[in-house]
């Protein structure tokens, strides 16, 4: 409990010391709110086409303008938040479970477990990450689930390595020895003693990879492997809108691009901020 | 302070590489620029051999310009003022004269024609090339068959400069088929040098080398990047082309292709989005040439073996639920010929494509669905080829939205270009948006592939109907025999049947568009939808 | 030292085997049917079967795998179906284009990110620190294809400062005689200033696009490492001895702080190679990235396998080089295996 209070106090200190982290916390809250309540608040149906109002520039009626089929871009950008945030969260949770656990087990047990996890991580690392994600989505089919799975797989080594290093340091630590002496099994120690200590550093990693997940989905959309139409998603909106930049309809790509940038920006800064909170070296 | 200087110089360095000075053209470069044409397109050839395995559409362009055929087509001017090939007029290319009887066609070859390596073109080369086309299998063999050109025994060398094709049956499409790209004439001696036991037709050599005698030769080919052509200075198949050197670069981004043409860096660009063609045309800085694609229709196909599309009422309901005008406006930006809304009671004509009588009428569509016993609609999948997403994606979104209003819930399925053909072969997709066009611009040719009960790959609806088959077969026979009255009756018959049974709903006939600089002239529309460099010139 | 290299090489073998297996399975799982694709628009079912047989695709998977590995051992990466060319030759021809672009992107990135990182570290918590963080993070927050398209729009279409995005050279320039395959180096070796400038101009925008994307990791690492070094004893001693602030930062701290930055470069390079795939598509760059994307879309196995394998070997080699470099710079590192 006191540890929690101390962390909170430290967090407040970090935020007050670093206004950028404060800003990112604010943005994060905004994104969560948009993901939760966005679909109820938007002025237009994000899927309804209206070809008589196609390609309208931003106006009082259409704040962010309309696209080729006359759909309201503002509504689409807001509604897309849930899907993009969902993709980001789902993929980091998945990789957290896979990579985090595998890494902790590797670091804690060592031996064969370590070798196997290490080889898997090395193999994945040897691929150019985006190309591997592309291959996975192309092979499994372009659905949201597969984009999430692909993003999780390419981030596996990152999590596994961080978790392994953290667990490895702690496997002979005093509190672990104490738990062992009081008769706890190895798995029990792993789950109740080691894992809680590794989680904070992985949370930092999660925040950083959430941004990557969204960028990854956008890149896949650009080469035609994104989500199915007509579902609004930032990456596919940017990719499709990009063809309209030269002809002057800048708003089609600009606003989804801005939303995407803000989200990734926010996740990255948040990661930095969380690192400051978690990293004991900065606690003074 | 010094650190700042380092920083300053670093940013200055970065800025220097960011903003290069505008290019200054030297005298020599300006000269070269006038005799060089820069084409940009999304993708380039994958094989320079028209008989090759899986040669793609850009590959046709190379074959068309680097090889000669026996005969070619004349020129006519379309209604909209665009110069086009003339389907009904044949002109000499390698053959200077020919005679056609009921049983054979005899071609007299030009005596002065040579291949790129200087070897004279003889009837032996022609026979070797025709034999190759009907023997290697796949697309070329199929295309030859469409004109009843099937066996090597049909092709006879009479003497060095006389070549005869014996008919195995009377077919109106035989002569047109000799003027398409497939029966290009190869340098048989050169090819034989590169043939091996495993590869008797030198397929490997012709993949990356042009062994012909056409107006251009490929000087350099970097797959996926560029093709550079040089003019063949000794070409005899027609007047010497004006352009000396052609550089064809692949630019995958559509926005960049438009930027290149608008800024005057590229001379000609095909395959821009329709919207860009409309806007470039309005802006007037570059010339935009549009001509309807002959025998080509974009359609919504329903697989009649997949319930509930086996029910006529369901198919009619879909035909009444399609937002035709919206598609014309928002997807095609008006740049297509509508194939819907023929006036009530309008007589069918023998022209193809021609509009059908369906319009957007959701009330009628709902009533038809109810009549079919599906008042609450149903769920299905609407598939399209991702390779043609620019048109198909917005089109399918509009169709999906409109179908939802009569209770049909369609999920959009984007099929990657590589799997599209395989999916089509399986005939499992219930509902698709697709485009088909035939090289040979005759209605019975289109119907033979798209509606006939032989159930070819392009009969994507698996539509099989005895009456339809009888009408199509009768029309082919009447055409061969020159019986115009019977032909007209049969064509009107199968067109009417296709509209009544409506297994596929024609949406529009698209245009083939090309944007070019104003100083480029001599563009001609061809049935193969690729560029003919030989008539182009640059002022 | 040689035993160390050998040991490191042996360690990479299992992951290379893993890459070969994963790539093989992945490419076979691709949905496209190459036989149907290459049979062309008008093929019959029999024609497709005929082509499937000629491509060896009618064999069971293990047989195909054995064939593939046997060919690989002979150094044969197969033939691309889409371009009809041997994959090894294609990759050899295209690799320099990608490598030149990626390396220049990395240089551009370092030229901006390292000074920013140092600046931020000398004044931690200041407005400059925050500004650096915001700028570099913003760079990594945009999809790289979008940054590229915007740069083309502004610097080519609107301003006309950059040359047309048509690949490595304009259509009236001819490439320098091939020595390294890097146009910048080859043109300098040939003493051809015009070609050097022409290819530098073509490289500017794509390299900048990549550079912007890599700012954040490099700047972050530089800052962290500088912070650690600046608070260390020897820097304090140097300051106490009355050395000028500039001398301390640049001569002593900077050199030591660069070590961890160099280690991260390997990771950043791999990151950029992935991003390169999209940048090449935007700038019509004739590299191996665009080649691989096209092949993947066409379910053309051989180039995808060849590409991934090349990348993996490159990555392993690069990391080995970095390890060795690290050992050269920092004698302490030589002790650890």
């Amino acid at each position: 409990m006191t540890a929690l209070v101390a962390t909170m106090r430290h967090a407040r200190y970090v935020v007050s010391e670093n206004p950028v982290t404060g800003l990112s916390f604010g943005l994060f809250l905004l994104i969560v709110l948009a993901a939760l309540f966005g679909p109820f608040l938007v002025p237009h149906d994000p899927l309804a086409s209206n070809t008589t109002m196609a390609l309208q520039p931003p106006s009082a009626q259409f704040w962010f303008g309309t696209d080729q089929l006359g759909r309201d871009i503002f509504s689409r950008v807001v509604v897309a938040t849930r899907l993009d945030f969902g993709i980001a969260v789902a993929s980091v949770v998945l990789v957290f479970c896979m990579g985090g656990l595998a890494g902790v087990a590797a670091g804690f047990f060592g031996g064969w477990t370590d070798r196997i996890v290490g080889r898997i991580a090395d193999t994945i690392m040897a691929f150019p990450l985006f190309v591997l994600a592309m291959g996975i989505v192309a092979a499994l089919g372009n659905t949201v689930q597969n984009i999430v799975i692909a993003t999780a797989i390419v981030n596996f080594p990152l999590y596994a390595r961080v978790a392994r290093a953290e667990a490895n340091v702690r496997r002979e630590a005093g509190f672990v020895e104490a738990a062992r002496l009081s008769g706890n099994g190895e798995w029990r120690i792993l789950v109740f003693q080691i894992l809680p200590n590794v989680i904070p550093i992985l949370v930092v990693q999660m925040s950083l990879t959430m941004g990557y997940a969204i960028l990854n989905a956008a890149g896949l959309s650009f080469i035609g492997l994104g989500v199915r139409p007509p579902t609004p998603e930032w990456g596919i909106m940017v990719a499709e809108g990009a063809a309209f930049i030269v002809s002057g309809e800048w708003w089609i790509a600009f606003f989804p691009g801005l939303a995407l940038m803000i989200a990734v920006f926010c996740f990255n800064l948040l990661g930095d901020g969380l690192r400051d909170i978690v990293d004991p070296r900065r606690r003074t | 302070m010094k650190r700042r200087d380092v920083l300053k110089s670093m940013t200055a360095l970065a800025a220097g590489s960011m903003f290069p000075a505008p290019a200054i053209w030297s005298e020599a470069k300006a000269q070269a620029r006038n005799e060089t044409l820069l084409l940009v397109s999304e993708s380039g050839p994958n094989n320079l051999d028209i008989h090759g395995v899986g040669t793609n559409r850009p590959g046709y362009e190379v074959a068309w310009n680097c090889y000669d055929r026996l005969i070619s087509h004349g020129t006519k001017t379309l209604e909209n003022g665009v110069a086009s090939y003339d389907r009904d007029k044949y002109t000499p290319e390698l053959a200077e004269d020919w005679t056609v009887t009921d049983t054979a066609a005899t071609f007299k070859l030009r005596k002065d024609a040579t291949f790129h390596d200087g070897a004279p073109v003889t009837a032996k080369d022609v026979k070797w090339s025709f034999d190759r086309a009907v023997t290697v299998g796949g697309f070329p063999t199929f295309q030859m068959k469409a004109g009843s050109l099937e066996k090597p025994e049909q092709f006879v060398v009479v003497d060095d400069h006389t070549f005869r094709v014996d008919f195995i049956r009377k077919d109106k499409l035989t002569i047109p088929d000799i003027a398409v790209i497939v029966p290009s004439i190869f340098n048989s001696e050169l090819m034989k040098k590169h043939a091996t036991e495993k590869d008797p037709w030198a397929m490997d050599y012709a993949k990356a080398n042009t062994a012909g005698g056409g107006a251009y030769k490929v000087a350099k080919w970097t797959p996926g990047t560029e093709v550079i052509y040089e003019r063949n200075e000794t070409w005899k198949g027609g007047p010497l082309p004006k352009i000396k050197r052609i550089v064809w670069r692949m630019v995958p981004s559509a926005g960049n292709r438009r930027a290149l043409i608008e800024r005057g860096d590229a001379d000609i660009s095909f395959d821009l989005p329709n919207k860009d063609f409309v806007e470039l045309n309005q802006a007037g800085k570059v010339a935009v040439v549009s001509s309807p694609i002959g025998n080509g229709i974009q359609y919504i196909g329903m697989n009649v073996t997949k319930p509930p599309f086996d029910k006529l009422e369901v198919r009619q309901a879909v035909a009444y639920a399609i937002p035709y005008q919206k598609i014309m406006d928002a997807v095609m930006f008006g740049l297509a010929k509508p194939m819907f809304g023929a006036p009530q009671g309008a007589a069918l004509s023998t022209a193809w494509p021609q509009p059908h009588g369906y319009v957007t009428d959701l009330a009628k569509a709902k009533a038809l669905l109810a009549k079919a016993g599906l008042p609450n609609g149903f769920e299905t999948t609407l598939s399209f080829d991702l390779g043609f997403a620019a048109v198909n994606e917005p089109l399918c979104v509009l169709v999906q939205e409109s179908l939802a209003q009569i209770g049909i819930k369609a999920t959009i399925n984007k099929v990657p270009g590589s799997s599209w053909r395989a999916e089509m072969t399986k005939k499992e997709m219930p509902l698709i948006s697709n485009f088909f066009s035939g090289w040979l611009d005759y209605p019975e040719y289109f119907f033979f592939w798209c509606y006939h009960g032989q159930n070819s790959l392009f009969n994507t609806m698996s539509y099989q109907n005895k009456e339809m088959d009888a009408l199509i077969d009768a029309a082919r026979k009447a055409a061969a025999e020159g019986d115009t009255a019977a032909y007209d009756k049969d064509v009107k018959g199968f067109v009417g049947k296709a509209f009544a049974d409506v297994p596929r709903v024609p949406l529009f006939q698209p245009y083939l568009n090309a944007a070019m600089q104003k100083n480029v002239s001599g563009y001609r529309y061809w049935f193969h939808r690729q560029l003919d460099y030989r008539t182009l010139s640059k002022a | 030292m040689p035993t160390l290299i050998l040991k490191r090489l042996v360690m990479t073998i299992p992951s290379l085997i893993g890459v070969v297996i994963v790539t093989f399975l992945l490419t076979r799982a691709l949905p496209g049917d190459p036989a149907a694709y290459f049979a062309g628009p008008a093929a019959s079912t029999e024609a497709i079967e005929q082509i499937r047989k000629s491509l060896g695709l009618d064999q069971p998977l293990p047989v195909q795998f054995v064939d593939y590995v046997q060919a690989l051992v002979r150094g044969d990466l197969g033939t691309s179906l889409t371009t009809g060319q041997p994959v090894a030759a294609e990759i050899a021809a295209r690799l320099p284009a990608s490598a030149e672009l990626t390396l220049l992107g990395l240089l551009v990135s370092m030229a901006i990110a390292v000074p920013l990182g140092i600046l931020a570290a000398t004044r931690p918590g200041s407005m400059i620190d925050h500004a650096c963080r915001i700028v570099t993070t913003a760079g990594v927050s945009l999809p790289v294809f979008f940054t590229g398209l915007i740069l083309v729009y502004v610097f080519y279409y609107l301003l006309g400062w950059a040359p047309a995005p048509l690949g490595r050279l304009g259509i009236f320039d001819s490439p320098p005689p091939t020595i390294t395959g890097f146009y910048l180096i080859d043109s300098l070796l040939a003493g051809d200033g015009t070609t050097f400038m022409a290819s530098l101009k073509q490289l500017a925008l794509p390299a900048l696009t990549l550079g912007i994307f890599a700012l954040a990791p490099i700047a972050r690492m530089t800052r962290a490492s500088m912070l650690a070094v600046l608070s260390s004893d020897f820097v304090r001693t140097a300051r106490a001895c009355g050395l000028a602030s500039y001398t301390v930062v640049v001569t002593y701290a900077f050199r030591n702080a660069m070590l961890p930055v160099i280690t991260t470069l390997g990771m950043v390079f791999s990151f950029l190679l992935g991003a390169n795939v999209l940048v090449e598509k935007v700038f019509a760059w004739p590299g191996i990235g665009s080649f691989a994307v096209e092949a993947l879309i066409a379910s053309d196995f051989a180039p995808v396998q060849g590409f991934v394998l090349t990348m993996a070997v490159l990555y392993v080699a690069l990391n080995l080089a970095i390890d060795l470099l690290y050992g050269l710079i920092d004698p302490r590192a030589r002790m650890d295996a």
Side-chain angles (χ1 to χ4, degrees), chain C residues 195-211:
Chain C
T195 309
F196 178 79
M197 281 317 290
S199 63
L200 188 63
K201 282 176 191 166
Q202 294 287 344
L203 271 165
L205 288 190
L208 187 65
T209 309
L210 278 178

Side-chain angles (χ1 to χ4, degrees), chain C:
Chain C
M1 209 64 177
T3 43
L4 182 77
I5 298 177
L6 206 67
K7 225 169 150 185
R8 286 277 294 131
L9 278 178
V10 170
M11 271 173 69
T12 59
I13 289 174
S15 58
L16 283 181
I17 292 175
V19 168
V20 171
I21 296 174
V22 172
T23 319
F24 178 80
L25 291 177
L26 203 63
T27 46
R28 301 299 140 146
L30 290 177
D33 180 356
Y37 187 73
F38 292 102
S44 62
T45 324
E46 301 87 77
I48 293 174
E49 280 313 313
Q50 204 180 320
I51 286 166
R52 194 188 314 282
K53 213 167 168 191
S54 73
L55 297 176
L57 294 172
D58 56 339
Q59 302 286 332
L61 269 191
V63 177
Q64 290 188 33
F65 183 70
V66 170
D67 284 351
Y68 171 61
V69 172
Q70 276 173 350
L72 207 59
V73 170
R74 290 196 306 269
D76 177 8
L77 292 176
T79 303
S80 159
L81 300 173
T82 27
T83 65
Q85 307 296 306
V87 171
E90 288 251 13
I91 287 180
R94 287 162 182 272
L95 190 59
S98 293
E100 186 175 36
L101 175 57
T102 312
L103 285 175
L104 197 68
L106 203 60
L107 278 181
V108 168
S109 194
M110 283 179 68
I112 303 171
V114 170
L116 279 182
I118 296 175
L119 201 63
T122 49
R123 294 175 180 75
S126 68
M127 281 319 287
I128 295 176
D129 186 15
H130 295 317
C132 288
R133 211 171 128 194
I134 289 182
V135 168
T136 55
T137 311
V140 80
S141 300
L142 267 181
V144 25
F145 67 88
F146 192 58
T147 319
L149 288 168
I150 295 281
L151 288 179
V152 170
Y153 177 65
V154 174
F155 292 110
Y156 168 64
Y157 183 75
L158 288 184
L159 300 174
W161 293 354
L166 279 172
R168 299 181 84 184
L169 280 176
I171 65 162
F172 299 107
D173 300 307
S174 42
T178 311
I179 301 163
T180 58
F182 286 34
Y183 283 3
L184 288 182
I185 297 174
D186 287 355
S187 59
L188 279 186
L189 289 178
D192 183 352
T194 330
T195 309
F196 178 79
M197 281 317 290
S199 63
L200 188 63
K201 282 176 191 166
Q202 294 287 344
L203 271 165
L205 288 190
L208 187 65
T209 309
L210 278 178
I212 289 175
F213 199 53
L215 285 181
I218 298 178
R220 190 186 288 151
M221 209 15 132
T222 311
R223 177 179 177 276
S225 160
M226 276 302 276
L227 272 179
V229 173
L230 283 175
S231 62
S232 66
D233 293 344
F234 77 89
V235 169
R236 205 177 319 141
T237 315
R239 279 194 212 277
C241 289
L243 286 175
S245 170
Y246 174 79
T247 320
V248 173
V249 171
V250 174
T251 317
Y252 293 92
F254 177 68
R255 274 178 58 186
N256 281 283
M258 273 303 96
L259 287 173
V261 176
I262 288 173
T263 347
T264 19
L265 282 187
M267 205 199 72
V268 173
F269 190 75
S270 161
F271 181 61
L272 283 189
L273 279 178
N276 208 350
V277 170
L278 297 170
V279 174
E280 285 180 9
K281 202 164 148 72
V282 171
F283 290 93
W285 203 258
I288 50 174
S290 45
F291 175 62
V293 175
E294 293 306 314
L296 196 70
I297 300 288
S299 289
D300 190 355
F301 304 151
V304 179
Q305 286 163 344
F307 168 75
V308 173
L309 214 59
T310 313
M311 284 294 155
V313 170
L314 207 65
Y315 176 78
V316 167
L318 191 81
N319 275 301
L320 190 66
I322 286 173
D323 281 0
L324 296 178
L325 190 69
Y326 199 88
L328 284 181
I329 299 176
D330 185 356
R332 284 168 302 175
R334 273 178 226 163
M335 301 304 151
D336 331 322

Side-chain angles (χ1 to χ4, degrees), chain A residues 63-82:
Chain A
W63 297 351
F64 290 177
T66 62
D67 67 6
Q68 189 188 351
L69 299 179
R71 296 174 294 193
D72 179 38
I73 292 176
F74 175 72
S75 305
R76 287 177 71 75
V77 166
V78 172
V79 170
T81 313
R82 184 180 285 182

Side-chain angles (χ1 to χ4, degrees), chain A residues 55 241 243-254, chain B residues 258 275 279:
Chain A
L55 301 171
F244 292 89
I245 297 174
V246 172
S247 53
E249 286 93 3
W250 53 272
W251 58 89
I252 303 178
F254 178 78
Chain B
R258 170 161 173 175
K275 174 168 171 294
E279 286 172 359

Side-chain angles (χ1 to χ4, degrees), chain B residues 138-304:
Chain B
F139 165 68
T141 305
F142 161 79
Q143 180 64 42
M144 296 295 276
K145 216 184 230 169
S148 297
L149 302 164
E150 295 173 13
K151 288 180 256 167
E153 299 84 73
Q154 284 179 266
F155 314 126
V156 184
V157 177
V158 179
D159 62 47
D160 258 9
H161 292 101
T162 314
F163 173 72
R164 195 179 71 227
V165 175
D166 292 334
F167 300 153
I168 48 169
R169 72 181 74 88
K170 217 167 160 268
D171 189 335
K172 196 177 95 178
L173 300 183
T174 301
I175 296 300
D177 211 28
I178 289 177
V180 301
I181 313 176
V182 170
S184 290
I185 310 306
F186 289 77
N187 184 341
S188 64
E189 288 309 315
L190 179 65
M191 292 287 277
K192 277 179 198 159
K193 260 185 229 154
H194 293 94
T196 59
E197 207 170 306
K198 253 185 87 185
D199 179 22
W201 296 107
M203 303 293 277
D204 273 341
Y205 175 73
K207 231 180 218 177
N209 299 282
T210 45
Y216 285 91
K217 39 192 166 187
V218 171
K220 184 171 172 238
W221 172 43
T222 318
T225 305
E226 69 175 353
V227 184
I228 297 174
Y229 302 91
E230 304 283 355
R231 183 171 65 188
N232 171 11
E233 301 297 334
T234 59
W235 190 54
K236 296 294 185 318
L240 195 68
K242 303 278 191 311
I243 308 285
K244 256 192 169 155
R245 184 164 172 263
I246 291 171
V247 180
W248 180 10
R249 285 265 174 114
M250 284 83 232
V251 179
S253 152
N256 285 354
R257 286 198 298 275
R258 170 161 173 175
L260 284 164
I261 199 98
E262 260 195 89
R263 289 198 49 93
D265 284 324
D267 292 309
I268 300 183
S269 177
F270 269 104
D271 57 25
L272 287 176
N274 273 321
K275 174 168 171 294
D276 289 333
F277 282 119
V278 172
E279 286 172 359
L280 287 174
N281 197 20
Q282 280 163 0
K285 260 198 333 212
V286 297
V288 175
V289 188
S290 305
S291 23
I293 295 176
N295 224 357
I297 296 176
Q298 178 83 34
Y299 67 94
I300 297 289
M302 289 166 272
N303 192 328
V304 298

Side-chain angles (χ1 to χ4, degrees), chain B residues 482-504:
Chain B
D483 183 349
T484 2
Y487 178 75
D488 286 7
K489 198 178 117 268
D490 293 332
V491 170
K492 283 179 188 166
F494 64 61
V495 170
K497 183 130 190 69
F499 288 169
D501 272 1
V502 71
R504 61 161 76 186

Side-chain angles (χ1 to χ4, degrees), chain B residues 471-523:
Chain B
L471 285 163
I472 297 169
D473 294 340
R476 291 187 53 162
K477 193 158 165 273
E481 285 163 1
D483 183 349
T484 2
Y487 178 75
D488 286 7
K489 198 178 117 268
D490 293 332
V491 170
K492 283 179 188 166
F494 64 61
V495 170
K497 183 130 190 69
F499 288 169
D501 272 1
V502 71
R504 61 161 76 186
V505 191
L507 303 177
F508 53 81
Q509 178 181 17
Y511 285 92
L512 179 71
N513 304 301
M516 58 192 85
Q517 298 304 329
K518 287 229 156 118
N519 60 354
V520 176
S521 57
Y523 169 81

